[in-house]
């Protein structure tokens, strides 16, 4: 069984798809997926390859690969790459997919010719576009199942969008027939064909033997001088093979992006779908249209997301937490009952249950914030490990620092971790008290239960249980200020005789 959904693969999207694979589909033989991703995307007017533009926090191509990977193992997925091929490969090679090279981009039919070697050992292939990122595994399975049932050589996916302009139109021999005799691209439409509304959505299934037997019959006899994969419809039909159309249940899923504006429309709909997925799972999101939530974000039930929050990358948030407005969280893991006050910026860090941060707190990468830790306003931390119950309420910088349980960090405490060349660690023990406005010049350690007097500049280790004060002595001069003021006043006012 090549088509598989075995344990160990991420099948999360399948629960959403509600697809149950029939035995008939499960027992089918070798299937590969080809993703056409070699095009330049001229209409984007961008130097970045089209398939590496991002929506929902991931490249277009990685969305398509994610859907394909739920149908076949990555080693049976072939991305056809060409324009900036090295960049495209580097961006997705960690997924384990394979590549076919199309050095010159001479059209979608030519892209398939370039994948010939790759697909020759498979009985069937699905062909996807790298620029249509909303595709789901459910739709791929539905197409696959239809293709099998129809015993077709080619199955194309069709729909009737409100405006069919720009798409290839599907020609049937008679109304109501699933059979197809040709796909006609926009520029080739005859006046009688112009009103046709059923369009080719660019997602196909092929039986490999007839495809490869007739693939070289494609010609570039069209306004672009390209080899069109769509021409395989009439080539196969003329060769007596069966070509059929599969009607997409949700054509919105198959939309491609040819311009930045179209891409941003896909981004908006993907993000709203992500917010809806989270809300369906018990998360409260106020004004979801104002939030920027990436596709892979997970949030547990009873957590509240306020307006204008950004949750990015692989962020995970537990239950009964609250993320207040204007906070940006990227690649962080938050526990349960965590409270993030407004305007925090948190990156690549973990925050345990019951912690509270902000407003205006910043975690740079590598922080581990323990249970019930409180980090207040204008505190910045980097590679800081704060154990349970640590409090740093105001205006601090904690970098390359480990602070043990229950220690209190006063307002304005700074760890001086950088000597201009190297970074150094500051270690503070349990239940210590670091007075306000102290600077701790690393490498330095403060023992359990020690006290640091406010305003100290600590350069030597402080033993457990001791007090360290390192500041200038205060002197007092009684009457000095009033005497000075009197002198100043006397200088300013002219003598009485001149008045
Ligand atoms: C294609 C179809 C059209 C269909 C539409 C649906 C053709 C000729 N036309 O048009 O019938 O209605 O999709 O969106 O196929 N690519 C390559 N190598 C190439 C050219 C393209 O890999 O030489 C890739 C692109 O990167 C892209 C995909 O193929 O991911 C589709 O190409 P694109 O130029 O966007 O085709 P459309 O004009 O959208
Ligand atoms: Ca396209």
């Amino acid at each position: 069984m090549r088509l598989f959904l075995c344990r160990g693969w991420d099948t999360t999207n399948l629960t959403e798809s509600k697809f149950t694979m029939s035995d008939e589909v499960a027992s089918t033989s070798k299937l590969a997926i080809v993703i056409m991703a070699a095009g330049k995307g001229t209409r984007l007017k961008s130097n970045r390859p089209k398939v590496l533009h991002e929506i929902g926090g991931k490249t277009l191509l990685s969305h398509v690969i994610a859907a394909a990977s739920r149908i076949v193992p990555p080693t049976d997925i072939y991305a056809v790459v060409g324009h900036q091929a090295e960049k495209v490969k580097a961006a997705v090679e960690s997924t384990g997919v394979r590549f076919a090279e199309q050095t010159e981009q001479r059209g979608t039919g030519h892209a398939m010719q370039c994948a010939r070697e790759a697909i020759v050992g498979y009985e069937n292939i699905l062909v996807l576009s790298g620029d249509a990122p909303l595709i789901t595994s459910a739709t791929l399975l539905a197409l696959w199942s239809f293709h099998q049932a129809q015993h077709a050589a080619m199955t194309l996916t069709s729909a009737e969008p409100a405006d069919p302009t720009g798409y290839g139109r599907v020609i049937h021999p008679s109304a109501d027939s699933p059979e197809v005799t040709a796909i006609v691209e926009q520029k080739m439409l005859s006046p009688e064909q112009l009103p046709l509304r059923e369009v080719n959505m660019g997602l196909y299934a092929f039986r490999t033997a007839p495809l490869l037997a007739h693939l070289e019959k494609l010609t570039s006899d069209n306004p672009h001088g390209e080899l069109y994969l769509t021409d395989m419809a009439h080539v196969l039909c003329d060769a007596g093979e069966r070509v059929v159309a599969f009607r997409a249940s949700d054509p919105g899923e198959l939309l491609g992006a040819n311009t930045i504006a179209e891409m941003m429309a896909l981004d908006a709909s993907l993000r709203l779908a992500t917010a809806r997925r989270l809300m369906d799972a018990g998360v409260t999101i106020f004004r979801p249209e104002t939030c920027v939530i990436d596709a892979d974000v997970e949030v547990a039930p009873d957590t509240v997301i306020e307006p204008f929050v950004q949750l990015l990358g692989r962020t995970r948030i537990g239950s009964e937490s609250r993320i207040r407005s204007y906070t940006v969280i990227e690649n962080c893991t938050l526990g349960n009952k965590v409270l993030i006050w407004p305007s925090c910026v948190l990156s690549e860090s973990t925050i345990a249950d019951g912690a509270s941060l902000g407003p205006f707190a910043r975690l740079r990468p590598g922080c581990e914030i323990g249970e019930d830790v409180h980090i207040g306003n204008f505190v910045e931390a980097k590679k800081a490990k704060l154990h349970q119950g640590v409090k740093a309420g105001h205006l601090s910088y904690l970098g390359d620092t480990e602070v043990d349980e229950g220690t209190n960090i006063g307002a304005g405490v700074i760890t001086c971790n950088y000597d201009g060349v190297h970074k150094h660690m500051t270690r503070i023990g349990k239940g210590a008290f670091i007075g306000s406005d102290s600077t701790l010049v690393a490498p330095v350690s403060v023992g359990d239960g020690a006290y640091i007097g406010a305003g100290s500049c600590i350069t030597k280790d402080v033993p457990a249980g001791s007090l360290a004060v390192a500041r200038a002595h205060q002197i007092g001069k009684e009457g000095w200020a009033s005497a000075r003021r009197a002198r100043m006043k006397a200088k300013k006012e002219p003598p009485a005789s001149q008045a």
Side-chain angles (χ1 to χ4, degrees), residues 4 49 111 141 162 174 191 196 204 220 247 276 296 340 396 398 402-403 405 449:
F4 74 108
L141 285 171
S174 61
L196 292 175
Y204 318 87
S220 54
R247 288 288 192 131
R276 220 170 292 126
D296 291 340
I340 308 294
S396 277
L398 303 172
E402 179 161 5
V403 185
E405 277 174 45

Side-chain angles (χ1 to χ4, degrees), residues 43 50 131 258:
R43 288 164 282 189
K50 182 187 201 175
D131 68 348
N258 291 324

Side-chain angles (χ1 to χ4, degrees), residues 36-83:
M36 294 186 295
K40 183 166 188 273
T42 314
R43 288 164 282 189
L44 283 184
K45 302 186 175 66
S46 160
N47 285 330
R48 205 178 340 158
K50 182 187 201 175
V51 294
L52 295 191
H53 278 257
E54 288 186 7
I55 69 162
K58 284 203 305 198
T59 64
L60 302 187
L61 185 54
S62 37
H63 283 287
V64 179
I65 290 175
S69 302
R70 293 188 180 104
I71 310 294
V72 297
T75 44
D76 290 330
I77 297 173
Y78 298 88
V80 182
V81 294
H83 178 68

Side-chain angles (χ1 to χ4, degrees), residues 401-423:
T401 303
E402 179 161 5
V403 185
D404 217 331
E405 277 174 45
T407 284
N408 190 90
I409 308 283
V413 168
I414 307 286
T415 56
C416 309
N417 61 327
Y418 187 46
D419 61 12
V421 181
H422 297 110
K423 303 280 168 66

Side-chain angles (χ1 to χ4, degrees), residues 295-362:
D296 291 340
V297 167
E298 297 291 346
V299 184
D302 296 315
T303 280
V304 176
I305 312 289
E306 294 190 0
F308 298 101
V309 162
Q310 298 194 15
L311 304 177
L312 308 175
R314 299 193 63 79
T315 291
R316 302 276 177 271
I317 303 177
S319 62
E320 296 181 59
S321 292
R322 189 174 189 107
I323 314 298
R324 305 213 50 195
S325 293
Y326 312 114
T327 285
V328 179
I329 306 181
E330 183 164 22
N331 294 324
C332 288
T333 301
L334 280 64
N336 305 321
K337 298 189 168 139
V338 170
L339 173 59
I340 308 294
W341 289 84
S343 300
C344 291
V345 179
L346 315 177
S347 313
E348 328 258 333
S349 292
T350 60
I351 301 168
D353 297 353
S356 65
L357 276 85
F360 303 100
R362 178 167 182 213

